[in-house]
Amino acid sequence: MSELRRKTITGYCDPISARPGQQLDFKVCCYEDGPYEADLVRVFGGDDRPEGIGVIEEVVAAPFAGARDGRFQAIHTGSYGSLDGQGGPVGRQSFTMQAMVQPTLPGRGLNPGRQVIMGRWRAGDETGFALLLDADGALALAIGEDGGGEDRGGDDGGRRASLSTGVPMRRGRWAFVAASCKPASGGARLVQRPLPTGPGDSLVSPAIERTETLAKNLTLGAAGSPFLFAVGHGAPKTAEFSAHFNGKIDRPRLAGRALSDDEMAALSRPAMPRELTDCILGCWDFAADISSDRITDLSPHGWHGQVVNLPTRGVTGHNWDGSEHNWRHALDQYGAIHFHQDDLYDAGWQTDFSYTVPEDLPSGVYAARLRHVGHRDGNGDGNGGGDVDRIPFFVLPPKVQATADVALLVPTASYMAYANTRQRLQPNLIFGDGHPEYVNDGFLASHPEVGGSLYDSHDDRSGIHYSSRLRPVLNMKPGDNRPWGLPADLNIVAWLSHIGQEFDVITDEELHREGAALLQPYRCIMTGSHPGYHSTEMLDGSATYLGQAGRRL
Ligand SMILES: [Fe+2]
């Protein structure tokens, strides 16, 4: 097989379906310099294999058509928790940070190998304070004064201090971890105490403790930065994050003085201990609001926050006893959040152009076609060279105005479940040697940052539980793909068009939101080729439609 054309442009749009009058925002990234040509096409076929029907498309006039400047847009993966506003110990205030954690990649984090469990830590210039795993996977406390790092040279020196247990934590094992510090005296203490993995597990290694006197009169830096879970802030003056933690965190706590062992034990209980009210700064319950992105503080301070990039919630906590497999039935045993350095919800790209669907645009499958002309002919086909990317979207008829007897229900929920599936990029018995066969598979192989599907795994080998369309979805693009999902369903579009059957296009997202009312006007609903994922609302909508004899008489 000849070498695959290398993609130099891709993008996504939000939303991916719209009715006349609604707006779509297109986000584009170029991986090489140079402008690109954008235009609007209506798509009737997307299978460009030699034996396929080809990419069949018709250009439609659109205001965004024309030459546009290309630009690179980065994707920052990795989930974390961020607390509202500023807070935590300042100056030379003593503190204790503690939690139950289950690291899944100890000693193998991205960028410099450190993984922050919690803290107010700027990894870029090493200021603030953090409870973390060091590059060896051992529990560590790091403290940095302002004025160091890139700005080093000031009279105050910007001192750095750290303490490590020196003993790597075990992958996939729960442990109680704590760090306390009295910056004024320099006193610091670390506790790394392995916990039983499950009922009957009595083979637990002994607790490790380290006590040391760090430099005296340390001043805690980064006072203006938010307190974070599972990540540190990145380079100064940027919105980047660094030193992601991989694994679960359960019952994180922050107190405004150095606690005794008994006090740490009291603070480890699920409810906030009244006797510590005077010194508690935050007592977070990750079992609260599991179905949302909210982080809830049980302390009187109400120091709440939110998780970013969809870490996995509703996962078993340190005290899960195996008796209940549904988090809704045993919230107290599902108080952990599983963070991953490769979680991704929203790529967050800037919008390059928008398109408001005109009133007279027929319902159908469309795409913004992007032809990158900034680099030389990559595939030698003489068509002017450059890469071509298509960002597909679905245009519905105006609300409750069916324009045909037939509706093609595009299974966008299933497209999301399989979005950027990487199953074929690993040698396996079903799919072969793992060598990418299509241009978009080749892109996925060299761009891990666009994330995987529900059929793939995170870097720590735990399964991916969430998907999103707020990122480039390569296997949804007409052309340069195996005929599966939308590229396959376009064969249905081609066939309907070929036989002269008029049809409207609707999607899972509208069925989820509007229910049976969406289906009601149609005599016939056609599904796509692999509609496998349904919300309760979608099933109820379909059942109601079918229960009313299905079609309009
Ligand atoms: Fe399936």
Side-chain angles (χ1 to χ4, degrees), residues 223-256:
S225 301
F227 190 92
L228 303 173
F229 298 109
V231 79
H233 298 275
K237 304 185 186 81
T238 72
E240 292 175 27
F241 293 89
S242 178
H244 287 275
F245 175 73
N246 293 278
K248 294 178 180 178
I249 301 178
D250 193 355
R251 294 187 195 169
R253 310 289 194 242
L254 177 63

PDB file of all heavy atoms in Angstrom, residues 223-256:
ATOM      1  N   ALA A 223       0.201  32.831  45.670  1.00  0.00           N
ATOM      2  CA  ALA A 223      -1.012  33.114  46.441  1.00  0.00           C
ATOM      3  C   ALA A 223      -2.178  33.536  45.544  1.00  0.00           C
ATOM      4  O   ALA A 223      -3.332  33.364  45.908  1.00  0.00           O
ATOM      5  CB  ALA A 223      -0.729  34.194  47.474  1.00  0.00           C
ATOM      6  N   GLY A 224      -1.891  34.066  44.381  1.00  0.00           N
ATOM      7  CA  GLY A 224      -2.970  34.529  43.507  1.00  0.00           C
ATOM      8  C   GLY A 224      -3.526  33.465  42.584  1.00  0.00           C
ATOM      9  O   GLY A 224      -4.404  33.741  41.769  1.00  0.00           O
ATOM     10  N   SER A 225      -3.020  32.230  42.698  1.00  0.00           N
ATOM     11  CA  SER A 225      -3.456  31.172  41.779  1.00  0.00           C
ATOM     12  C   SER A 225      -4.488  30.274  42.439  1.00  0.00           C
ATOM     13  O   SER A 225      -4.432  30.040  43.641  1.00  0.00           O
ATOM     14  CB  SER A 225      -2.254  30.317  41.350  1.00  0.00           C
ATOM     15  OG  SER A 225      -1.281  31.120  40.707  1.00  0.00           O
ATOM     16  N   PRO A 226      -5.430  29.736  41.667  1.00  0.00           N
ATOM     17  CA  PRO A 226      -6.425  28.835  42.235  1.00  0.00           C
ATOM     18  C   PRO A 226      -5.805  27.539  42.768  1.00  0.00           C
ATOM     19  O   PRO A 226      -4.778  27.074  42.271  1.00  0.00           O
ATOM     20  CB  PRO A 226      -7.360  28.526  41.058  1.00  0.00           C
ATOM     21  CG  PRO A 226      -7.155  29.639  40.112  1.00  0.00           C
ATOM     22  CD  PRO A 226      -5.714  30.052  40.258  1.00  0.00           C
ATOM     23  N   PHE A 227      -6.471  26.972  43.768  1.00  0.00           N
ATOM     24  CA  PHE A 227      -6.083  25.675  44.328  1.00  0.00           C
ATOM     25  C   PHE A 227      -6.644  24.594  43.408  1.00  0.00           C
ATOM     26  O   PHE A 227      -7.797  24.658  42.989  1.00  0.00           O
ATOM     27  CB  PHE A 227      -6.678  25.545  45.738  1.00  0.00           C
ATOM     28  CG  PHE A 227      -6.170  24.379  46.515  1.00  0.00           C
ATOM     29  CD1 PHE A 227      -5.066  24.507  47.361  1.00  0.00           C
ATOM     30  CD2 PHE A 227      -6.797  23.138  46.433  1.00  0.00           C
ATOM     31  CE1 PHE A 227      -4.605  23.427  48.103  1.00  0.00           C
ATOM     32  CE2 PHE A 227      -6.333  22.057  47.171  1.00  0.00           C
ATOM     33  CZ  PHE A 227      -5.238  22.198  48.002  1.00  0.00           C
ATOM     34  N   LEU A 228      -5.809  23.607  43.074  1.00  0.00           N
ATOM     35  CA  LEU A 228      -6.186  22.612  42.060  1.00  0.00           C
ATOM     36  C   LEU A 228      -6.033  21.193  42.591  1.00  0.00           C
ATOM     37  O   LEU A 228      -5.206  20.922  43.457  1.00  0.00           O
ATOM     38  CB  LEU A 228      -5.291  22.753  40.819  1.00  0.00           C
ATOM     39  CG  LEU A 228      -5.246  24.116  40.118  1.00  0.00           C
ATOM     40  CD1 LEU A 228      -4.168  24.103  39.029  1.00  0.00           C
ATOM     41  CD2 LEU A 228      -6.594  24.455  39.517  1.00  0.00           C
ATOM     42  N   PHE A 229      -6.828  20.307  42.028  1.00  0.00           N
ATOM     43  CA  PHE A 229      -6.662  18.869  42.251  1.00  0.00           C
ATOM     44  C   PHE A 229      -6.144  18.229  40.961  1.00  0.00           C
ATOM     45  O   PHE A 229      -6.630  18.529  39.872  1.00  0.00           O
ATOM     46  CB  PHE A 229      -7.998  18.208  42.610  1.00  0.00           C
ATOM     47  CG  PHE A 229      -8.604  18.719  43.889  1.00  0.00           C
ATOM     48  CD1 PHE A 229      -9.734  19.515  43.865  1.00  0.00           C
ATOM     49  CD2 PHE A 229      -8.028  18.402  45.116  1.00  0.00           C
ATOM     50  CE1 PHE A 229     -10.291  19.981  45.048  1.00  0.00           C
ATOM     51  CE2 PHE A 229      -8.578  18.862  46.301  1.00  0.00           C
ATOM     52  CZ  PHE A 229      -9.716  19.667  46.263  1.00  0.00           C
ATOM     53  N   ALA A 230      -5.193  17.329  41.092  1.00  0.00           N
ATOM     54  CA  ALA A 230      -4.717  16.477  39.996  1.00  0.00           C
ATOM     55  C   ALA A 230      -3.955  17.224  38.911  1.00  0.00           C
ATOM     56  O   ALA A 230      -3.765  16.693  37.816  1.00  0.00           O
ATOM     57  CB  ALA A 230      -5.862  15.675  39.367  1.00  0.00           C
ATOM     58  N   VAL A 231      -3.506  18.437  39.205  1.00  0.00           N
ATOM     59  CA  VAL A 231      -2.723  19.159  38.206  1.00  0.00           C
ATOM     60  C   VAL A 231      -2.033  20.361  38.857  1.00  0.00           C
ATOM     61  O   VAL A 231      -2.446  20.825  39.929  1.00  0.00           O
ATOM     62  CB  VAL A 231      -3.624  19.635  37.037  1.00  0.00           C
ATOM     63  CG1 VAL A 231      -4.400  20.890  37.401  1.00  0.00           C
ATOM     64  CG2 VAL A 231      -2.823  19.855  35.755  1.00  0.00           C
ATOM     65  N   GLY A 232      -1.001  20.842  38.192  1.00  0.00           N
ATOM     66  CA  GLY A 232      -0.391  22.108  38.577  1.00  0.00           C
ATOM     67  C   GLY A 232      -0.597  23.117  37.471  1.00  0.00           C
ATOM     68  O   GLY A 232      -0.926  22.763  36.341  1.00  0.00           O
ATOM     69  N   HIS A 233      -0.448  24.376  37.804  1.00  0.00           N
ATOM     70  CA  HIS A 233      -0.486  25.395  36.762  1.00  0.00           C
ATOM     71  C   HIS A 233       0.755  25.247  35.900  1.00  0.00           C
ATOM     72  O   HIS A 233       1.785  24.756  36.344  1.00  0.00           O
ATOM     73  CB  HIS A 233      -0.519  26.794  37.383  1.00  0.00           C
ATOM     74  CG  HIS A 233      -1.733  27.034  38.220  1.00  0.00           C
ATOM     75  ND1 HIS A 233      -2.920  27.461  37.686  1.00  0.00           N
ATOM     76  CD2 HIS A 233      -1.949  26.869  39.547  1.00  0.00           C
ATOM     77  CE1 HIS A 233      -3.818  27.567  38.658  1.00  0.00           C
ATOM     78  NE2 HIS A 233      -3.265  27.206  39.802  1.00  0.00           N
ATOM     79  N   GLY A 234       0.643  25.682  34.637  1.00  0.00           N
ATOM     80  CA  GLY A 234       1.765  25.547  33.722  1.00  0.00           C
ATOM     81  C   GLY A 234       2.699  26.735  33.797  1.00  0.00           C
ATOM     82  O   GLY A 234       2.907  27.329  34.859  1.00  0.00           O
ATOM     83  N   ALA A 235       3.239  27.075  32.659  1.00  0.00           N
ATOM     84  CA  ALA A 235       4.191  28.174  32.594  1.00  0.00           C
ATOM     85  C   ALA A 235       3.532  29.464  33.081  1.00  0.00           C
ATOM     86  O   ALA A 235       2.329  29.653  32.924  1.00  0.00           O
ATOM     87  CB  ALA A 235       4.687  28.339  31.163  1.00  0.00           C
ATOM     88  N   PRO A 236       4.316  30.355  33.684  1.00  0.00           N
ATOM     89  CA  PRO A 236       3.740  31.614  34.157  1.00  0.00           C
ATOM     90  C   PRO A 236       3.044  32.365  33.029  1.00  0.00           C
ATOM     91  O   PRO A 236       3.483  32.320  31.884  1.00  0.00           O
ATOM     92  CB  PRO A 236       4.961  32.393  34.651  1.00  0.00           C
ATOM     93  CG  PRO A 236       6.007  31.370  34.910  1.00  0.00           C
ATOM     94  CD  PRO A 236       5.745  30.255  33.945  1.00  0.00           C
ATOM     95  N   LYS A 237       1.980  33.043  33.365  1.00  0.00           N
ATOM     96  CA  LYS A 237       1.238  33.901  32.429  1.00  0.00           C
ATOM     97  C   LYS A 237       0.629  33.126  31.257  1.00  0.00           C
ATOM     98  O   LYS A 237       0.385  33.687  30.200  1.00  0.00           O
ATOM     99  CB  LYS A 237       2.130  35.027  31.902  1.00  0.00           C
ATOM    100  CG  LYS A 237       2.741  35.890  33.002  1.00  0.00           C
ATOM    101  CD  LYS A 237       3.509  37.056  32.396  1.00  0.00           C
ATOM    102  CE  LYS A 237       4.233  37.843  33.463  1.00  0.00           C
ATOM    103  NZ  LYS A 237       5.500  37.265  33.886  1.00  0.00           N
ATOM    104  N   THR A 238       0.416  31.833  31.419  1.00  0.00           N
ATOM    105  CA  THR A 238      -0.280  31.082  30.383  1.00  0.00           C
ATOM    106  C   THR A 238      -1.468  30.376  31.030  1.00  0.00           C
ATOM    107  O   THR A 238      -1.555  30.273  32.245  1.00  0.00           O
ATOM    108  CB  THR A 238       0.602  29.999  29.721  1.00  0.00           C
ATOM    109  OG1 THR A 238       0.781  28.942  30.671  1.00  0.00           O
ATOM    110  CG2 THR A 238       1.930  30.555  29.294  1.00  0.00           C
ATOM    111  N   ALA A 239      -2.354  29.898  30.178  1.00  0.00           N
ATOM    112  CA  ALA A 239      -3.514  29.161  30.683  1.00  0.00           C
ATOM    113  C   ALA A 239      -3.235  27.665  30.695  1.00  0.00           C
ATOM    114  O   ALA A 239      -4.131  26.867  30.873  1.00  0.00           O
ATOM    115  CB  ALA A 239      -4.726  29.472  29.808  1.00  0.00           C
ATOM    116  N   GLU A 240      -1.984  27.288  30.511  1.00  0.00           N
ATOM    117  CA  GLU A 240      -1.674  25.864  30.417  1.00  0.00           C
ATOM    118  C   GLU A 240      -1.582  25.217  31.793  1.00  0.00           C
ATOM    119  O   GLU A 240      -1.359  25.868  32.798  1.00  0.00           O
ATOM    120  CB  GLU A 240      -0.353  25.679  29.675  1.00  0.00           C
ATOM    121  CG  GLU A 240      -0.450  26.053  28.213  1.00  0.00           C
ATOM    122  CD  GLU A 240       0.901  25.972  27.532  1.00  0.00           C
ATOM    123  OE1 GLU A 240       1.746  25.198  27.990  1.00  0.00           O
ATOM    124  OE2 GLU A 240       1.079  26.699  26.548  1.00  0.00           O
ATOM    125  N   PHE A 241      -1.737  23.907  31.790  1.00  0.00           N
ATOM    126  CA  PHE A 241      -1.610  23.142  33.015  1.00  0.00           C
ATOM    127  C   PHE A 241      -0.554  22.069  32.828  1.00  0.00           C
ATOM    128  O   PHE A 241      -0.202  21.703  31.715  1.00  0.00           O
ATOM    129  CB  PHE A 241      -2.957  22.536  33.405  1.00  0.00           C
ATOM    130  CG  PHE A 241      -3.947  23.587  33.800  1.00  0.00           C
ATOM    131  CD1 PHE A 241      -4.761  24.173  32.853  1.00  0.00           C
ATOM    132  CD2 PHE A 241      -4.032  24.001  35.107  1.00  0.00           C
ATOM    133  CE1 PHE A 241      -5.664  25.162  33.216  1.00  0.00           C
ATOM    134  CE2 PHE A 241      -4.923  24.989  35.479  1.00  0.00           C
ATOM    135  CZ  PHE A 241      -5.746  25.574  34.528  1.00  0.00           C
ATOM    136  N   SER A 242      -0.047  21.571  33.935  1.00  0.00           N
ATOM    137  CA  SER A 242       1.114  20.706  33.860  1.00  0.00           C
ATOM    138  C   SER A 242       1.083  19.728  35.032  1.00  0.00           C
ATOM    139  O   SER A 242       0.400  19.951  36.024  1.00  0.00           O
ATOM    140  CB  SER A 242       2.370  21.590  33.938  1.00  0.00           C
ATOM    141  OG  SER A 242       3.524  20.813  33.919  1.00  0.00           O
ATOM    142  N   ALA A 243       1.849  18.667  34.910  1.00  0.00           N
ATOM    143  CA  ALA A 243       2.020  17.703  36.008  1.00  0.00           C
ATOM    144  C   ALA A 243       0.696  17.061  36.412  1.00  0.00           C
ATOM    145  O   ALA A 243       0.306  17.060  37.582  1.00  0.00           O
ATOM    146  CB  ALA A 243       2.713  18.352  37.208  1.00  0.00           C
ATOM    147  N   HIS A 244      -0.027  16.511  35.418  1.00  0.00           N
ATOM    148  CA  HIS A 244      -1.301  15.847  35.690  1.00  0.00           C
ATOM    149  C   HIS A 244      -1.100  14.577  36.505  1.00  0.00           C
ATOM    150  O   HIS A 244      -0.167  13.815  36.270  1.00  0.00           O
ATOM    151  CB  HIS A 244      -1.981  15.465  34.370  1.00  0.00           C
ATOM    152  CG  HIS A 244      -2.545  16.637  33.636  1.00  0.00           C
ATOM    153  ND1 HIS A 244      -3.782  17.153  33.897  1.00  0.00           N
ATOM    154  CD2 HIS A 244      -2.021  17.403  32.655  1.00  0.00           C
ATOM    155  CE1 HIS A 244      -4.019  18.181  33.109  1.00  0.00           C
ATOM    156  NE2 HIS A 244      -2.965  18.354  32.344  1.00  0.00           N
ATOM    157  N   PHE A 245      -2.042  14.351  37.413  1.00  0.00           N
ATOM    158  CA  PHE A 245      -2.063  13.128  38.202  1.00  0.00           C
ATOM    159  C   PHE A 245      -2.902  12.087  37.472  1.00  0.00           C
ATOM    160  O   PHE A 245      -3.967  12.408  36.930  1.00  0.00           O
ATOM    161  CB  PHE A 245      -2.667  13.409  39.582  1.00  0.00           C
ATOM    162  CG  PHE A 245      -2.842  12.189  40.448  1.00  0.00           C
ATOM    163  CD1 PHE A 245      -1.743  11.565  41.036  1.00  0.00           C
ATOM    164  CD2 PHE A 245      -4.102  11.661  40.681  1.00  0.00           C
ATOM    165  CE1 PHE A 245      -1.904  10.445  41.842  1.00  0.00           C
ATOM    166  CE2 PHE A 245      -4.275  10.544  41.489  1.00  0.00           C
ATOM    167  CZ  PHE A 245      -3.172   9.934  42.065  1.00  0.00           C
ATOM    168  N   ASN A 246      -2.437  10.857  37.448  1.00  0.00           N
ATOM    169  CA  ASN A 246      -3.209   9.746  36.887  1.00  0.00           C
ATOM    170  C   ASN A 246      -3.637   8.837  38.021  1.00  0.00           C
ATOM    171  O   ASN A 246      -2.781   8.259  38.713  1.00  0.00           O
ATOM    172  CB  ASN A 246      -2.367   8.948  35.890  1.00  0.00           C
ATOM    173  CG  ASN A 246      -2.035   9.746  34.653  1.00  0.00           C
ATOM    174  OD1 ASN A 246      -2.835   9.853  33.732  1.00  0.00           O
ATOM    175  ND2 ASN A 246      -0.851  10.341  34.649  1.00  0.00           N
ATOM    176  N   GLY A 247      -4.932   8.704  38.202  1.00  0.00           N
ATOM    177  CA  GLY A 247      -5.426   7.821  39.245  1.00  0.00           C
ATOM    178  C   GLY A 247      -6.603   8.438  39.963  1.00  0.00           C
ATOM    179  O   GLY A 247      -7.166   9.444  39.540  1.00  0.00           O
ATOM    180  N   LYS A 248      -6.986   7.771  41.072  1.00  0.00           N
ATOM    181  CA  LYS A 248      -8.162   8.212  41.818  1.00  0.00           C
ATOM    182  C   LYS A 248      -7.762   9.029  43.046  1.00  0.00           C
ATOM    183  O   LYS A 248      -6.742   8.735  43.692  1.00  0.00           O
ATOM    184  CB  LYS A 248      -8.958   6.993  42.279  1.00  0.00           C
ATOM    185  CG  LYS A 248      -9.577   6.174  41.152  1.00  0.00           C
ATOM    186  CD  LYS A 248     -10.293   4.970  41.742  1.00  0.00           C
ATOM    187  CE  LYS A 248     -10.935   4.096  40.671  1.00  0.00           C
ATOM    188  NZ  LYS A 248     -11.572   2.906  41.274  1.00  0.00           N
ATOM    189  N   ILE A 249      -8.594  10.007  43.343  1.00  0.00           N
ATOM    190  CA  ILE A 249      -8.460  10.796  44.573  1.00  0.00           C
ATOM    191  C   ILE A 249      -9.797  10.725  45.301  1.00  0.00           C
ATOM    192  O   ILE A 249     -10.856  10.870  44.688  1.00  0.00           O
ATOM    193  CB  ILE A 249      -8.092  12.270  44.262  1.00  0.00           C
ATOM    194  CG1 ILE A 249      -6.775  12.341  43.476  1.00  0.00           C
ATOM    195  CG2 ILE A 249      -8.000  13.078  45.554  1.00  0.00           C
ATOM    196  CD1 ILE A 249      -6.364  13.751  43.074  1.00  0.00           C
ATOM    197  N   ASP A 250      -9.741  10.475  46.590  1.00  0.00           N
ATOM    198  CA  ASP A 250     -10.939  10.303  47.421  1.00  0.00           C
ATOM    199  C   ASP A 250     -10.741  11.121  48.702  1.00  0.00           C
ATOM    200  O   ASP A 250      -9.667  11.086  49.309  1.00  0.00           O
ATOM    201  CB  ASP A 250     -11.067   8.798  47.736  1.00  0.00           C
ATOM    202  CG  ASP A 250     -12.424   8.425  48.330  1.00  0.00           C
ATOM    203  OD1 ASP A 250     -13.233   9.318  48.594  1.00  0.00           O
ATOM    204  OD2 ASP A 250     -12.639   7.203  48.524  1.00  0.00           O
ATOM    205  N   ARG A 251     -11.773  11.847  49.107  1.00  0.00           N
ATOM    206  CA  ARG A 251     -11.792  12.620  50.352  1.00  0.00           C
ATOM    207  C   ARG A 251     -10.582  13.540  50.533  1.00  0.00           C
ATOM    208  O   ARG A 251      -9.877  13.463  51.553  1.00  0.00           O
ATOM    209  CB  ARG A 251     -11.906  11.681  51.561  1.00  0.00           C
ATOM    210  CG  ARG A 251     -13.224  10.953  51.604  1.00  0.00           C
ATOM    211  CD  ARG A 251     -13.370  10.168  52.912  1.00  0.00           C
ATOM    212  NE  ARG A 251     -14.462   9.203  52.798  1.00  0.00           N
ATOM    213  CZ  ARG A 251     -14.700   8.236  53.667  1.00  0.00           C
ATOM    214  NH1 ARG A 251     -13.940   8.099  54.732  1.00  0.00           N
ATOM    215  NH2 ARG A 251     -15.705   7.407  53.479  1.00  0.00           N
ATOM    216  N   PRO A 252     -10.295  14.409  49.606  1.00  0.00           N
ATOM    217  CA  PRO A 252      -9.196  15.355  49.810  1.00  0.00           C
ATOM    218  C   PRO A 252      -9.561  16.392  50.873  1.00  0.00           C
ATOM    219  O   PRO A 252     -10.720  16.804  50.967  1.00  0.00           O
ATOM    220  CB  PRO A 252      -9.044  16.024  48.442  1.00  0.00           C
ATOM    221  CG  PRO A 252     -10.388  15.887  47.805  1.00  0.00           C
ATOM    222  CD  PRO A 252     -10.975  14.609  48.320  1.00  0.00           C
ATOM    223  N   ARG A 253      -8.589  16.745  51.691  1.00  0.00           N
ATOM    224  CA  ARG A 253      -8.815  17.671  52.797  1.00  0.00           C
ATOM    225  C   ARG A 253      -7.666  18.673  52.886  1.00  0.00           C
ATOM    226  O   ARG A 253      -6.510  18.327  52.581  1.00  0.00           O
ATOM    227  CB  ARG A 253      -8.862  16.911  54.137  1.00  0.00           C
ATOM    228  CG  ARG A 253      -9.789  15.697  54.177  1.00  0.00           C
ATOM    229  CD  ARG A 253     -11.237  16.109  54.170  1.00  0.00           C
ATOM    230  NE  ARG A 253     -12.145  15.037  54.520  1.00  0.00           N
ATOM    231  CZ  ARG A 253     -13.086  14.568  53.685  1.00  0.00           C
ATOM    232  NH1 ARG A 253     -13.197  15.057  52.460  1.00  0.00           N
ATOM    233  NH2 ARG A 253     -13.909  13.622  54.078  1.00  0.00           N
ATOM    234  N   LEU A 254      -7.989  19.862  53.352  1.00  0.00           N
ATOM    235  CA  LEU A 254      -6.969  20.891  53.567  1.00  0.00           C
ATOM    236  C   LEU A 254      -7.269  21.566  54.906  1.00  0.00           C
ATOM    237  O   LEU A 254      -8.393  22.018  55.142  1.00  0.00           O
ATOM    238  CB  LEU A 254      -6.998  21.916  52.422  1.00  0.00           C
ATOM    239  CG  LEU A 254      -6.039  23.103  52.522  1.00  0.00           C
ATOM    240  CD1 LEU A 254      -4.580  22.630  52.493  1.00  0.00           C
ATOM    241  CD2 LEU A 254      -6.284  24.083  51.376  1.00  0.00           C
ATOM    242  N   ALA A 255      -6.259  21.600  55.784  1.00  0.00           N
ATOM    243  CA  ALA A 255      -6.427  22.238  57.088  1.00  0.00           C
ATOM    244  C   ALA A 255      -5.369  23.323  57.258  1.00  0.00           C
ATOM    245  O   ALA A 255      -4.276  23.230  56.688  1.00  0.00           O
ATOM    246  CB  ALA A 255      -6.313  21.207  58.213  1.00  0.00           C
ATOM    247  N   GLY A 256      -5.687  24.314  58.080  1.00  0.00           N
ATOM    248  CA  GLY A 256      -4.808  25.477  58.239  1.00  0.00           C
ATOM    249  C   GLY A 256      -3.806  25.351  59.369  1.00  0.00           C
ATOM    250  O   GLY A 256      -3.392  26.355  59.945  1.00  0.00           O
TER     251      GLY A 256
END
